[in-house]
Amino acid sequence: MSTGKASAPASAPAAAGLGTFERLLSVWVALAIAAGIGLGLLVPGVFAALAAAEIAHVNLPVAVLIWAMVFPMMVGVDFGAVSKIGEEPRGLLITLVVNWLVKPFTMAALGVLFFRYVFAGLIPADAADSYIAGLILLGAAPCTAMVFVWSNLVRGDATYTLVQVGVNDLIMIVAFAPIVALLLGVTDIVVPWSTLLLSVALYVVLPLLAGLWVRSTRMREGGVPAVEAFRDQMRPASVIGLLATVVLLFGFQAQQILADPLVIGLIAVPLLIQSYGIFAVAYLAARALRVRFDVAAPCALIGTSNFFELAVAVAISLFGLGSGAALATVVGVLVEVPVMLSLVAFANRTRGWFAPDEGTGR
């Protein structure tokens, strides 16, 4: 069976390495958290003014920052790769089942278990609902862009990774809002449908359309190198957007966090269990189905990683900048990078579990 490697562009997104800055992303996020808390205490009036700048419950400063994060990623998505689905359907099947039939529901279940029962005596009941909502948003948003980095670190098939990301994005456009609404409803949390749909349109559909337009324009001008050059130019804006968003979120959460810093650790517990558990399910399923390693490892990592930019944006739109839901999604950012790097290391150590002949898929 063909791997699709011969047709993969030499500079496909998965070829982008993990630079020193990205490897230390958790450090920069931690510093941004500290900065946000400090500024939130020093200049609360500034944060109050920023919080008031909203239209239809969508905060404008945060919307700009989220676009800065998401847009470069969307430029890198090549939906033309979807035509290569048939080359290895088992890997894609695992990704889709885990992302849309398992992961959102296990995350919701873990949230309810920990915040309504295990941690019930440690947090107020109304805060529990908000944290659960944030976890649900993370669980329902599969990774879009960082997975190219994880795929590269396990030497995954670049073209197939594009297939998985492209198909997931297509499904996310239509499935994210209904799944989130279903799970929020099951946990008895009121769902403002208009705001939820507006958030999906604003943070997924429109950036995706804009990214496709820029990609097609750049491809006509200079092919894949022109696309990659544009993404390289935009990468600083993406990182700045992420860190600035974290500063804003924790600035609004400053009083609450100082009053109860334990909450960060409490939120991290179900996130860690979810991440390692989902990876184990997807990775072992790929091994049982005899999926070749360069597809199996990325498909498990895609299922584990989250599109935290979208989760943060929707949490802010639905519940507000100072909400527990927004805080939970930001803790997801803090947890994700070290977890994913540990899973990449594990996958590389267990490469021998899979058939060495990547060309046969057997």
Side-chain angles (χ1 to χ4, degrees):
M1 179 180 292
S2 171
T3 65
K5 286 180 179 293
S7 59
S11 57
L18 190 67
T20 301
F21 189 90
E22 288 82 1
R23 288 182 185 275
L24 296 176
L25 183 58
S26 291
V27 175
W28 311 134
V29 170
L31 292 175
I33 289 173
I37 294 173
L39 291 172
L41 296 175
L42 289 174
V43 287
V46 173
F47 284 87
L50 291 172
E54 63 176 33
I55 296 176
H57 303 290
V58 173
N59 184 267
L60 298 181
V62 173
V64 172
L65 295 175
I66 295 295
W67 258 76
M69 282 189 281
V70 172
F71 178 65
M73 303 173 187
M74 295 304 190
V75 172
V77 174
D78 180 11
F79 284 104
V82 174
S83 62
K84 299 185 179 296
I85 291 174
E87 294 183 355
E88 177 52 275
R90 292 168 296 179
L92 181 60
L93 177 63
I94 293 170
T95 300
L96 297 181
V97 169
V98 167
N99 277 344
W100 301 108
L101 298 181
V102 177
K103 184 178 176 182
F105 304 96
T106 55
M107 190 74 267
L110 286 170
V112 171
L113 172 64
F114 279 96
F115 287 108
R116 289 193 179 163
Y117 298 97
V118 179
F119 298 151
L122 301 176
I123 57 175
D126 57 342
D129 284 347
S130 189
Y131 299 144
I132 292 170
L135 295 179
I136 287 172
L137 290 172
L138 282 169
C143 186
T144 295
M146 285 296 286
V147 72
F148 292 129
V149 176
W150 314 136
S151 179
N152 176 66
L153 292 179
V154 296
R155 299 191 296 280
D157 185 319
T159 297
Y160 201 87
T161 300
L162 285 173
V163 171
Q164 292 171 303
V165 170
V167 173
N168 267 303
D169 279 355
L170 288 172
I171 294 175
M172 182 162 53
I173 291 172
V174 297
F176 177 78
I179 288 177
V180 167
L182 170 65
L183 292 175
L184 291 181
V186 167
T187 55
D188 300 323
I189 299 169
V190 176
V191 182
W193 263 96
S194 59
T195 302
L196 179 58
L197 294 175
L198 176 61
S199 297
V200 173
L202 185 62
Y203 300 123
V204 179
V205 179
L206 291 180
L208 184 59
L209 293 176
L212 289 174
W213 178 78
V214 170
R215 182 181 182 84
S216 64
T217 301
R218 294 284 171 167
M219 287 293 289
R220 288 195 301 270
E221 294 175 353
V224 172
V227 173
E228 293 303 308
F230 178 83
R231 293 184 69 220
D232 289 342
Q233 293 170 359
M234 293 295 295
R235 187 171 290 120
S238 182
V239 175
I240 291 170
L242 169 62
L243 297 180
T245 300
V246 171
V247 170
L248 279 180
L249 290 174
F250 280 88
F252 280 99
Q253 298 283 349
Q255 297 291 344
Q256 177 185 345
I257 292 171
L258 289 182
D260 189 10
L262 179 63
V263 71
I264 303 297
L266 297 181
I267 294 172
V269 170
L271 286 173
L272 289 170
I273 295 173
Q274 166 85 347
S275 297
Y276 288 113
I278 288 295
F279 178 86
V281 169
Y283 202 58
L284 293 176
R287 187 187 183 201
L289 292 175
R290 306 183 73 178
V291 178
R292 66 180 192 265
F293 179 82
D294 62 343
V295 169
C299 89
L301 294 169
I302 290 171
T304 305
S305 189
N306 299 310
F307 189 0
F308 53 76
E309 297 89 347
L310 174 64
V312 168
V314 176
I316 293 169
S317 298
L318 290 177
F319 304 104
L321 277 163
S323 67
L327 177 62
T329 58
V330 175
V331 175
V333 182
L334 186 61
V335 167
E336 173 152 327
V337 174
V339 166
M340 295 305 296
L341 289 174
S342 71
L343 292 174
V344 163
F346 175 81
N348 282 327
R349 286 196 300 268
T350 57
R351 181 181 293 266
W353 289 8
F354 297 81
D357 185 359
E358 297 178 352
T360 64
R362 293 178 293 175

PDB file of all heavy atoms in Angstrom, residues 7 14 18 57 77 104 110 127 130 132 153 168 184 192 203 209 211 218 224 229 238 245 251 254 287 295 343 349:
ATOM      1  N   SER A   7       4.139  11.982  -2.619  1.00  0.00           N
ATOM      2  CA  SER A   7       3.410  13.160  -3.046  1.00  0.00           C
ATOM      3  C   SER A   7       3.366  14.243  -1.985  1.00  0.00           C
ATOM      4  O   SER A   7       2.813  15.297  -2.190  1.00  0.00           O
ATOM      5  CB  SER A   7       1.970  12.767  -3.417  1.00  0.00           C
ATOM      6  OG  SER A   7       1.328  12.186  -2.311  1.00  0.00           O
ATOM      7  N   ALA A  14       3.995  19.418   8.667  1.00  0.00           N
ATOM      8  CA  ALA A  14       4.604  18.506   9.616  1.00  0.00           C
ATOM      9  C   ALA A  14       6.111  18.566   9.580  1.00  0.00           C
ATOM     10  O   ALA A  14       6.795  18.075  10.451  1.00  0.00           O
ATOM     11  CB  ALA A  14       4.138  17.083   9.345  1.00  0.00           C
ATOM     12  N   LEU A  18      10.241  21.729  16.120  1.00  0.00           N
ATOM     13  CA  LEU A  18       9.857  22.376  17.366  1.00  0.00           C
ATOM     14  C   LEU A  18      11.047  23.160  17.858  1.00  0.00           C
ATOM     15  O   LEU A  18      12.025  22.584  18.337  1.00  0.00           O
ATOM     16  CB  LEU A  18       9.424  21.315  18.387  1.00  0.00           C
ATOM     17  CG  LEU A  18       8.778  21.826  19.665  1.00  0.00           C
ATOM     18  CD1 LEU A  18       7.431  22.449  19.345  1.00  0.00           C
ATOM     19  CD2 LEU A  18       8.592  20.691  20.665  1.00  0.00           C
ATOM     20  N   HIS A  57     -21.959  39.582  23.212  1.00  0.00           N
ATOM     21  CA  HIS A  57     -21.282  38.709  24.174  1.00  0.00           C
ATOM     22  C   HIS A  57     -19.945  38.193  23.669  1.00  0.00           C
ATOM     23  O   HIS A  57     -19.385  37.252  24.238  1.00  0.00           O
ATOM     24  CB  HIS A  57     -22.171  37.523  24.563  1.00  0.00           C
ATOM     25  CG  HIS A  57     -23.488  37.928  25.136  1.00  0.00           C
ATOM     26  ND1 HIS A  57     -23.608  38.515  26.375  1.00  0.00           N
ATOM     27  CD2 HIS A  57     -24.738  37.845  24.622  1.00  0.00           C
ATOM     28  CE1 HIS A  57     -24.889  38.766  26.614  1.00  0.00           C
ATOM     29  NE2 HIS A  57     -25.590  38.385  25.562  1.00  0.00           N
ATOM     30  N   VAL A  77      -3.617  24.615   6.544  1.00  0.00           N
ATOM     31  CA  VAL A  77      -4.481  23.455   6.314  1.00  0.00           C
ATOM     32  C   VAL A  77      -4.743  23.305   4.811  1.00  0.00           C
ATOM     33  O   VAL A  77      -5.250  24.217   4.169  1.00  0.00           O
ATOM     34  CB  VAL A  77      -5.811  23.592   7.076  1.00  0.00           C
ATOM     35  CG1 VAL A  77      -6.754  22.452   6.716  1.00  0.00           C
ATOM     36  CG2 VAL A  77      -5.551  23.607   8.576  1.00  0.00           C
ATOM     37  N   PRO A 104     -15.035  13.736  23.735  1.00  0.00           N
ATOM     38  CA  PRO A 104     -15.895  14.741  24.384  1.00  0.00           C
ATOM     39  C   PRO A 104     -16.673  14.177  25.568  1.00  0.00           C
ATOM     40  O   PRO A 104     -16.860  14.856  26.581  1.00  0.00           O
ATOM     41  CB  PRO A 104     -16.848  15.171  23.253  1.00  0.00           C
ATOM     42  CG  PRO A 104     -16.150  14.787  21.990  1.00  0.00           C
ATOM     43  CD  PRO A 104     -15.376  13.555  22.316  1.00  0.00           C
ATOM     44  N   LEU A 110     -15.417  12.848  33.258  1.00  0.00           N
ATOM     45  CA  LEU A 110     -14.367  13.130  34.233  1.00  0.00           C
ATOM     46  C   LEU A 110     -14.622  14.447  34.953  1.00  0.00           C
ATOM     47  O   LEU A 110     -14.383  14.567  36.161  1.00  0.00           O
ATOM     48  CB  LEU A 110     -13.000  13.159  33.543  1.00  0.00           C
ATOM     49  CG  LEU A 110     -12.414  11.807  33.127  1.00  0.00           C
ATOM     50  CD1 LEU A 110     -11.181  12.001  32.252  1.00  0.00           C
ATOM     51  CD2 LEU A 110     -12.079  10.968  34.347  1.00  0.00           C
ATOM     52  N   ALA A 127     -19.156  27.074  41.091  1.00  0.00           N
ATOM     53  CA  ALA A 127     -17.877  27.068  40.374  1.00  0.00           C
ATOM     54  C   ALA A 127     -17.657  25.725  39.693  1.00  0.00           C
ATOM     55  O   ALA A 127     -17.078  25.658  38.604  1.00  0.00           O
ATOM     56  CB  ALA A 127     -16.733  27.361  41.341  1.00  0.00           C
ATOM     57  N   SER A 130     -19.003  25.627  36.218  1.00  0.00           N
ATOM     58  CA  SER A 130     -18.216  26.425  35.285  1.00  0.00           C
ATOM     59  C   SER A 130     -16.954  25.675  34.850  1.00  0.00           C
ATOM     60  O   SER A 130     -16.583  25.679  33.671  1.00  0.00           O
ATOM     61  CB  SER A 130     -17.848  27.761  35.936  1.00  0.00           C
ATOM     62  OG  SER A 130     -17.261  28.637  34.997  1.00  0.00           O
ATOM     63  N   ILE A 132     -16.568  22.420  34.796  1.00  0.00           N
ATOM     64  CA  ILE A 132     -17.018  21.326  33.941  1.00  0.00           C
ATOM     65  C   ILE A 132     -17.245  21.823  32.519  1.00  0.00           C
ATOM     66  O   ILE A 132     -16.860  21.178  31.541  1.00  0.00           O
ATOM     67  CB  ILE A 132     -18.306  20.692  34.496  1.00  0.00           C
ATOM     68  CG1 ILE A 132     -18.015  19.967  35.814  1.00  0.00           C
ATOM     69  CG2 ILE A 132     -18.908  19.714  33.482  1.00  0.00           C
ATOM     70  CD1 ILE A 132     -19.259  19.525  36.555  1.00  0.00           C
ATOM     71  N   LEU A 153       7.770  15.264  15.180  1.00  0.00           N
ATOM     72  CA  LEU A 153       8.656  14.741  16.212  1.00  0.00           C
ATOM     73  C   LEU A 153       8.638  13.215  16.288  1.00  0.00           C
ATOM     74  O   LEU A 153       9.557  12.609  16.835  1.00  0.00           O
ATOM     75  CB  LEU A 153       8.285  15.334  17.572  1.00  0.00           C
ATOM     76  CG  LEU A 153       8.559  16.831  17.731  1.00  0.00           C
ATOM     77  CD1 LEU A 153       8.136  17.308  19.108  1.00  0.00           C
ATOM     78  CD2 LEU A 153      10.022  17.151  17.500  1.00  0.00           C
ATOM     79  N   ASN A 168     -10.869  16.465  10.177  1.00  0.00           N
ATOM     80  CA  ASN A 168     -11.327  16.914  11.486  1.00  0.00           C
ATOM     81  C   ASN A 168     -11.880  18.328  11.438  1.00  0.00           C
ATOM     82  O   ASN A 168     -12.882  18.643  12.085  1.00  0.00           O
ATOM     83  CB  ASN A 168     -10.183  16.836  12.502  1.00  0.00           C
ATOM     84  CG  ASN A 168     -10.172  15.526  13.254  1.00  0.00           C
ATOM     85  OD1 ASN A 168     -11.147  15.144  13.897  1.00  0.00           O
ATOM     86  ND2 ASN A 168      -9.066  14.817  13.163  1.00  0.00           N
ATOM     87  N   LEU A 184     -23.260  20.222  27.522  1.00  0.00           N
ATOM     88  CA  LEU A 184     -23.585  21.261  28.508  1.00  0.00           C
ATOM     89  C   LEU A 184     -25.011  21.082  29.012  1.00  0.00           C
ATOM     90  O   LEU A 184     -25.307  21.305  30.185  1.00  0.00           O
ATOM     91  CB  LEU A 184     -23.414  22.651  27.896  1.00  0.00           C
ATOM     92  CG  LEU A 184     -21.976  23.075  27.573  1.00  0.00           C
ATOM     93  CD1 LEU A 184     -21.965  24.486  27.002  1.00  0.00           C
ATOM     94  CD2 LEU A 184     -21.075  23.002  28.794  1.00  0.00           C
ATOM     95  N   PRO A 192     -26.344  29.257  25.783  1.00  0.00           N
ATOM     96  CA  PRO A 192     -26.769  30.347  24.894  1.00  0.00           C
ATOM     97  C   PRO A 192     -26.412  30.006  23.451  1.00  0.00           C
ATOM     98  O   PRO A 192     -25.305  30.268  22.987  1.00  0.00           O
ATOM     99  CB  PRO A 192     -25.976  31.555  25.415  1.00  0.00           C
ATOM    100  CG  PRO A 192     -24.789  30.976  26.095  1.00  0.00           C
ATOM    101  CD  PRO A 192     -25.125  29.583  26.530  1.00  0.00           C
ATOM    102  N   TYR A 203     -14.606  31.923  15.064  1.00  0.00           N
ATOM    103  CA  TYR A 203     -13.289  31.384  15.374  1.00  0.00           C
ATOM    104  C   TYR A 203     -12.913  30.135  14.586  1.00  0.00           C
ATOM    105  O   TYR A 203     -11.774  29.682  14.668  1.00  0.00           O
ATOM    106  CB  TYR A 203     -13.191  31.076  16.875  1.00  0.00           C
ATOM    107  CG  TYR A 203     -13.405  32.292  17.741  1.00  0.00           C
ATOM    108  CD1 TYR A 203     -14.401  32.322  18.704  1.00  0.00           C
ATOM    109  CD2 TYR A 203     -12.620  33.428  17.576  1.00  0.00           C
ATOM    110  CE1 TYR A 203     -14.602  33.434  19.492  1.00  0.00           C
ATOM    111  CE2 TYR A 203     -12.817  34.552  18.362  1.00  0.00           C
ATOM    112  CZ  TYR A 203     -13.810  34.553  19.316  1.00  0.00           C
ATOM    113  OH  TYR A 203     -14.015  35.662  20.088  1.00  0.00           O
ATOM    114  N   LEU A 209     -11.998  30.058   6.144  1.00  0.00           N
ATOM    115  CA  LEU A 209     -12.222  30.599   4.806  1.00  0.00           C
ATOM    116  C   LEU A 209     -11.127  31.601   4.438  1.00  0.00           C
ATOM    117  O   LEU A 209     -10.611  31.598   3.314  1.00  0.00           O
ATOM    118  CB  LEU A 209     -13.602  31.248   4.723  1.00  0.00           C
ATOM    119  CG  LEU A 209     -14.803  30.294   4.849  1.00  0.00           C
ATOM    120  CD1 LEU A 209     -16.100  31.089   4.857  1.00  0.00           C
ATOM    121  CD2 LEU A 209     -14.801  29.275   3.716  1.00  0.00           C
ATOM    122  N   GLY A 211      -8.120  31.671   5.680  1.00  0.00           N
ATOM    123  CA  GLY A 211      -6.883  30.923   5.507  1.00  0.00           C
ATOM    124  C   GLY A 211      -6.812  30.240   4.149  1.00  0.00           C
ATOM    125  O   GLY A 211      -5.763  30.236   3.504  1.00  0.00           O
ATOM    126  N   ARG A 218      -1.293  32.574  -2.203  1.00  0.00           N
ATOM    127  CA  ARG A 218       0.149  32.348  -2.087  1.00  0.00           C
ATOM    128  C   ARG A 218       0.616  31.198  -2.985  1.00  0.00           C
ATOM    129  O   ARG A 218       1.722  31.232  -3.536  1.00  0.00           O
ATOM    130  CB  ARG A 218       0.505  32.055  -0.623  1.00  0.00           C
ATOM    131  CG  ARG A 218       0.272  33.240   0.298  1.00  0.00           C
ATOM    132  CD  ARG A 218       1.351  34.279   0.133  1.00  0.00           C
ATOM    133  NE  ARG A 218       1.041  35.515   0.837  1.00  0.00           N
ATOM    134  CZ  ARG A 218       1.901  36.497   1.064  1.00  0.00           C
ATOM    135  NH1 ARG A 218       3.133  36.369   0.624  1.00  0.00           N
ATOM    136  NH2 ARG A 218       1.528  37.580   1.684  1.00  0.00           N
ATOM    137  N   VAL A 224       4.169  26.162  -2.489  1.00  0.00           N
ATOM    138  CA  VAL A 224       4.288  25.832  -1.067  1.00  0.00           C
ATOM    139  C   VAL A 224       5.305  26.722  -0.344  1.00  0.00           C
ATOM    140  O   VAL A 224       5.052  27.170   0.786  1.00  0.00           O
ATOM    141  CB  VAL A 224       4.641  24.338  -0.895  1.00  0.00           C
ATOM    142  CG1 VAL A 224       4.964  24.017   0.574  1.00  0.00           C
ATOM    143  CG2 VAL A 224       3.486  23.461  -1.373  1.00  0.00           C
ATOM    144  N   ALA A 229       6.464  30.677   3.859  1.00  0.00           N
ATOM    145  CA  ALA A 229       7.060  31.972   4.189  1.00  0.00           C
ATOM    146  C   ALA A 229       6.045  32.864   4.885  1.00  0.00           C
ATOM    147  O   ALA A 229       6.358  33.559   5.862  1.00  0.00           O
ATOM    148  CB  ALA A 229       7.590  32.640   2.918  1.00  0.00           C
ATOM    149  N   SER A 238       1.018  34.800  16.205  1.00  0.00           N
ATOM    150  CA  SER A 238       0.277  33.701  16.803  1.00  0.00           C
ATOM    151  C   SER A 238       0.695  33.484  18.247  1.00  0.00           C
ATOM    152  O   SER A 238      -0.141  33.340  19.146  1.00  0.00           O
ATOM    153  CB  SER A 238       0.491  32.423  15.988  1.00  0.00           C
ATOM    154  OG  SER A 238      -0.241  31.358  16.519  1.00  0.00           O
ATOM    155  N   THR A 245      -3.515  36.549  25.389  1.00  0.00           N
ATOM    156  CA  THR A 245      -4.799  36.020  25.832  1.00  0.00           C
ATOM    157  C   THR A 245      -4.684  35.439  27.235  1.00  0.00           C
ATOM    158  O   THR A 245      -5.561  35.645  28.085  1.00  0.00           O
ATOM    159  CB  THR A 245      -5.309  34.931  24.865  1.00  0.00           C
ATOM    160  OG1 THR A 245      -5.456  35.495  23.567  1.00  0.00           O
ATOM    161  CG2 THR A 245      -6.649  34.370  25.326  1.00  0.00           C
ATOM    162  N   GLY A 251      -5.530  37.871  34.317  1.00  0.00           N
ATOM    163  CA  GLY A 251      -5.764  39.176  34.915  1.00  0.00           C
ATOM    164  C   GLY A 251      -7.165  39.277  35.475  1.00  0.00           C
ATOM    165  O   GLY A 251      -7.389  39.801  36.577  1.00  0.00           O
ATOM    166  N   ALA A 254      -7.441  37.053  38.657  1.00  0.00           N
ATOM    167  CA  ALA A 254      -6.407  37.275  39.672  1.00  0.00           C
ATOM    168  C   ALA A 254      -6.920  37.104  41.099  1.00  0.00           C
ATOM    169  O   ALA A 254      -6.326  36.374  41.901  1.00  0.00           O
ATOM    170  CB  ALA A 254      -5.792  38.664  39.490  1.00  0.00           C
ATOM    171  N   ARG A 287      -2.358  -0.163  17.245  1.00  0.00           N
ATOM    172  CA  ARG A 287      -1.501  -1.355  17.264  1.00  0.00           C
ATOM    173  C   ARG A 287      -2.332  -2.609  16.994  1.00  0.00           C
ATOM    174  O   ARG A 287      -1.908  -3.497  16.234  1.00  0.00           O
ATOM    175  CB  ARG A 287      -0.799  -1.468  18.616  1.00  0.00           C
ATOM    176  CG  ARG A 287       0.244  -2.580  18.638  1.00  0.00           C
ATOM    177  CD  ARG A 287       0.809  -2.794  20.010  1.00  0.00           C
ATOM    178  NE  ARG A 287       1.862  -3.819  19.980  1.00  0.00           N
ATOM    179  CZ  ARG A 287       2.253  -4.500  21.050  1.00  0.00           C
ATOM    180  NH1 ARG A 287       1.677  -4.282  22.221  1.00  0.00           N
ATOM    181  NH2 ARG A 287       3.210  -5.398  20.952  1.00  0.00           N
ATOM    182  N   VAL A 295       1.586   6.486  10.769  1.00  0.00           N
ATOM    183  CA  VAL A 295       0.193   6.927  10.808  1.00  0.00           C
ATOM    184  C   VAL A 295      -0.371   6.755  12.215  1.00  0.00           C
ATOM    185  O   VAL A 295      -1.105   7.606  12.711  1.00  0.00           O
ATOM    186  CB  VAL A 295      -0.662   6.143   9.789  1.00  0.00           C
ATOM    187  CG1 VAL A 295      -2.147   6.410  10.006  1.00  0.00           C
ATOM    188  CG2 VAL A 295      -0.273   6.521   8.368  1.00  0.00           C
ATOM    189  N   LEU A 343       4.377  12.256  25.612  1.00  0.00           N
ATOM    190  CA  LEU A 343       3.773  11.224  24.772  1.00  0.00           C
ATOM    191  C   LEU A 343       4.568  11.019  23.480  1.00  0.00           C
ATOM    192  O   LEU A 343       4.668   9.902  22.973  1.00  0.00           O
ATOM    193  CB  LEU A 343       2.321  11.580  24.462  1.00  0.00           C
ATOM    194  CG  LEU A 343       1.375  11.522  25.665  1.00  0.00           C
ATOM    195  CD1 LEU A 343      -0.012  12.026  25.295  1.00  0.00           C
ATOM    196  CD2 LEU A 343       1.301  10.108  26.219  1.00  0.00           C
ATOM    197  N   ARG A 349       9.913   5.760  21.698  1.00  0.00           N
ATOM    198  CA  ARG A 349      10.532   4.607  22.362  1.00  0.00           C
ATOM    199  C   ARG A 349       9.831   3.296  22.015  1.00  0.00           C
ATOM    200  O   ARG A 349      10.441   2.221  22.105  1.00  0.00           O
ATOM    201  CB  ARG A 349      10.521   4.802  23.885  1.00  0.00           C
ATOM    202  CG  ARG A 349      11.538   5.808  24.400  1.00  0.00           C
ATOM    203  CD  ARG A 349      11.736   5.667  25.897  1.00  0.00           C
ATOM    204  NE  ARG A 349      10.483   5.880  26.627  1.00  0.00           N
ATOM    205  CZ  ARG A 349      10.080   7.044  27.094  1.00  0.00           C
ATOM    206  NH1 ARG A 349      10.818   8.125  26.897  1.00  0.00           N
ATOM    207  NH2 ARG A 349       8.944   7.148  27.751  1.00  0.00           N
TER     208      ARG A 349
END
